[in-house]
Amino acid sequence: MSILCGIPLLECVYCLACARWAWKRCLHTAGHDSETWGVATADEFEPVPRLCRYILAVYEEDLRNPQWEPPGGYGINPDWVKLKRTYNDTQGRAPPYLLYLDHDHSDIVLAVRGLNLAKECDYKLLLDNKLGKRKIDGGYVHNGLLKAAGWVLDSECGVLKELVEKYPSYSLTFAGHSLGSGVAAMLALVVVLNSGKLGNVERKRVRCFAIAPARCMSLNLAVRYADVINSVVLQDDFLPRTATPLEDIFTSLFCLPCLLCLRCMRDTCTSEDQMIKDPRRLYAPGRLYHIVERKPFRMGRFPPVVRTAVPVDGRFEHIVLSCNATSDHAIIWIEKEATRALSVTDSALFPSHLFIMQKTCLLIFASSEKSSAYVGE
């Protein structure tokens, strides 16, 4: 009898926990993740739209006769493309990529494409990880992404070393989107740790831009490599916020209500301090750039603002309940909004200079009036 009496009580507790979780999720917006961050400058954000176009170029079969180029083109000279690898070349060990020698910006760029929903090898790569499975340099990383990065580095080590030594003033940039962002981040980490493989390339020459990044490294590594790795997130993008192991989502696809209930109870009963203290927990890598171009309870898009920081607490911990959570993950939208953000940032400099000039002129005019009045007296 006592057991039967306890069942309604357990139901009430469960319902209250779910209501609390839903209330917190409904009130949480993407702007909350970066509301205390500083605003990025045009100089540091300048490579992002250009690198997005380079990543989009990986999808083209023939760069001399492109079929899917964005407005303004890819900005790529086909004669400067050193190599381009497809799925046939990688044999499923890594996503397709290209190596581009960018003479206009003194940059050696290796761009990696994102997840191909039609390729089983990409899913195997993404799901090749368990919590705490792979440790490196005192932290934890995604095992499958690290293996893919190691394969790319071993395959292209000779070409990269030759270019790095031939152009000592050029930077070495790894860029990727979605699944490719994790591979690019792991490449930057491995190159820094094994600089001798590329002719002792200096750490300051290596950089990475992870577009719509996957969670691929523990918090201590994410902070320590913030001078090398940069992550770019558009508004409500779900992937940088997906802390639940992806294998749980795929294996529980046919029992999604059960998964949501379990996730609800776990998030309700687990404090954020406890989650942060887990050294095996993976996060979006490096310095974060958050493009915010929508406001809660308002219609339409606003001029985008790019906020940046190297946060420890609140590093995209909560999924945003938004109809744009998946569309904000598309690299086409990221490239478009990054271009808009850069143009807004550049144009924002003009009004400030104009205001200073106007204020200076007014001060000069006022002082001249005072001096002439003094002379008249």
Side-chain angles (χ1 to χ4, degrees), residues 8 44 151 224 240 244 274 276 325 345 351:
E44 61 182 319
W151 185 88
R224 281 165 47 201
T244 302
Q274 184 177 349
I276 292 175
T345 305

Side-chain angles (χ1 to χ4, degrees), residues 65-197:
N65 299 289
Q67 298 181 4
W68 316 105
E69 61 180 349
Y74 296 113
I76 280 185
N77 185 342
D79 295 330
W80 295 348
V81 177
K82 305 303 292 184
L83 56 88
K84 190 172 184 291
R85 305 298 189 207
T86 64
Y87 281 105
N88 293 331
D89 300 316
T90 64
Q91 295 296 313
R93 296 183 180 90
Y97 57 90
L98 66 80
L99 181 60
Y100 181 62
L101 186 57
D102 189 354
H103 292 292
D104 292 335
H105 300 91
S106 301
D107 202 1
I108 303 167
V109 182
L110 194 150
V112 190
R113 66 157 286 167
L115 175 71
N116 188 335
L117 297 176
K119 290 291 183 180
E120 183 182 353
C121 57
D122 281 4
Y123 292 103
K124 289 182 179 179
L125 182 65
L126 189 62
L127 301 180
D128 182 15
N129 189 63
K130 293 288 184 181
L131 192 63
K133 183 176 182 178
R134 191 64 177 266
K135 191 173 183 179
I136 185 174
D137 194 25
Y140 294 90
V141 296
H142 190 287
N143 182 64
L145 297 176
L146 182 64
K147 287 168 60 178
W151 185 88
V152 173
L153 184 60
D154 291 340
S155 301
E156 316 302 345
C157 179
V159 181
L160 287 172
K161 183 177 180 180
E162 178 185 351
L163 293 176
V164 166
E165 292 178 345
K166 186 176 180 180
Y167 303 97
S169 62
Y170 284 26
S171 56
L172 177 60
T173 302
F174 301 102
H177 168 251
S178 189
L179 175 66
S181 69
V183 177
M186 293 295 100
L187 270 169
L189 185 148
V190 171
V191 167
V192 170
L193 291 177
N194 302 275
S195 58
K197 296 191 69 172

Side-chain angles (χ1 to χ4, degrees), residues 28-336:
H28 181 78
T29 62
H32 292 155
D33 293 321
S34 58
E35 59 186 352
T36 60
W37 299 3
V39 179
T41 63
D43 290 338
E44 61 182 319
F45 195 70
E46 179 272 332
V48 174
R50 171 166 49 88
L51 293 174
C52 285
R53 290 189 287 271
Y54 293 173
I55 296 170
L56 283 169
V58 184
Y59 293 79
E60 290 283 358
E61 294 184 3
D62 185 3
L63 287 174
R64 298 186 184 275
N65 299 289
Q67 298 181 4
W68 316 105
E69 61 180 349
Y74 296 113
I76 280 185
N77 185 342
D79 295 330
W80 295 348
V81 177
K82 305 303 292 184
L83 56 88
K84 190 172 184 291
R85 305 298 189 207
T86 64
Y87 281 105
N88 293 331
D89 300 316
T90 64
Q91 295 296 313
R93 296 183 180 90
Y97 57 90
L98 66 80
L99 181 60
Y100 181 62
L101 186 57
D102 189 354
H103 292 292
D104 292 335
H105 300 91
S106 301
D107 202 1
I108 303 167
V109 182
L110 194 150
V112 190
R113 66 157 286 167
L115 175 71
N116 188 335
L117 297 176
K119 290 291 183 180
E120 183 182 353
C121 57
D122 281 4
Y123 292 103
K124 289 182 179 179
L125 182 65
L126 189 62
L127 301 180
D128 182 15
N129 189 63
K130 293 288 184 181
L131 192 63
K133 183 176 182 178
R134 191 64 177 266
K135 191 173 183 179
I136 185 174
D137 194 25
Y140 294 90
V141 296
H142 190 287
N143 182 64
L145 297 176
L146 182 64
K147 287 168 60 178
W151 185 88
V152 173
L153 184 60
D154 291 340
S155 301
E156 316 302 345
C157 179
V159 181
L160 287 172
K161 183 177 180 180
E162 178 185 351
L163 293 176
V164 166
E165 292 178 345
K166 186 176 180 180
Y167 303 97
S169 62
Y170 284 26
S171 56
L172 177 60
T173 302
F174 301 102
H177 168 251
S178 189
L179 175 66
S181 69
V183 177
M186 293 295 100
L187 270 169
L189 185 148
V190 171
V191 167
V192 170
L193 291 177
N194 302 275
S195 58
K197 296 191 69 172
L198 300 183
N200 294 317
V201 60
E202 298 177 349
R203 181 180 179 126
K204 63 181 180 180
R205 290 182 63 187
V206 181
R207 62 178 182 172
C208 168
F209 283 88
I211 313 298
R215 290 183 168 230
C216 59
M217 61 177 60
S218 56
L219 188 58
N220 60 335
L221 293 179
V223 174
R224 281 165 47 201
Y225 285 87
D227 61 321
V228 177
I229 304 173
N230 306 278
S231 292
V232 180
V233 180
L234 175 60
Q235 191 83 20
D236 302 333
D237 188 359
F238 75 96
L239 189 61
R241 298 176 169 90
T242 307
T244 302
L246 292 176
E247 60 268 21
D248 292 349
I249 294 178
F250 284 100
T251 55
S252 304
L253 188 62
F254 298 103
C255 192
L256 190 58
C258 300
L259 175 66
L260 291 177
C261 290
L262 292 175
R263 175 71 187 273
C264 164
M265 293 301 295
R266 192 192 70 175
D267 284 5
T268 303
C269 300
T270 305
S271 65
E272 292 188 11
D273 293 336
Q274 184 177 349
M275 290 190 294
I276 292 175
K277 289 179 181 178
D278 188 352
R280 303 168 301 169
R281 187 177 173 85
L282 303 183
Y283 293 85
R287 169 174 286 276
L288 300 177
Y289 290 90
H290 192 200
I291 306 173
V292 180
E293 40 86 38
R294 289 188 303 273
K295 298 180 181 180
F297 309 112
R298 297 188 185 183
M299 300 295 292
R301 295 175 181 266
F302 293 82
V305 176
V306 182
R307 302 170 184 165
T308 182
V310 187
V312 176
D313 297 338
R315 183 180 275 260
F316 294 129
E317 284 295 333
H318 304 295
I319 294 177
V320 177
L321 297 179
S322 167
C323 58
N324 301 104
T326 53
S327 62
D328 285 346
H329 184 68
I331 189 169
I332 296 177
W333 273 111
I334 297 174
E335 186 274 334
K336 185 180 296 184

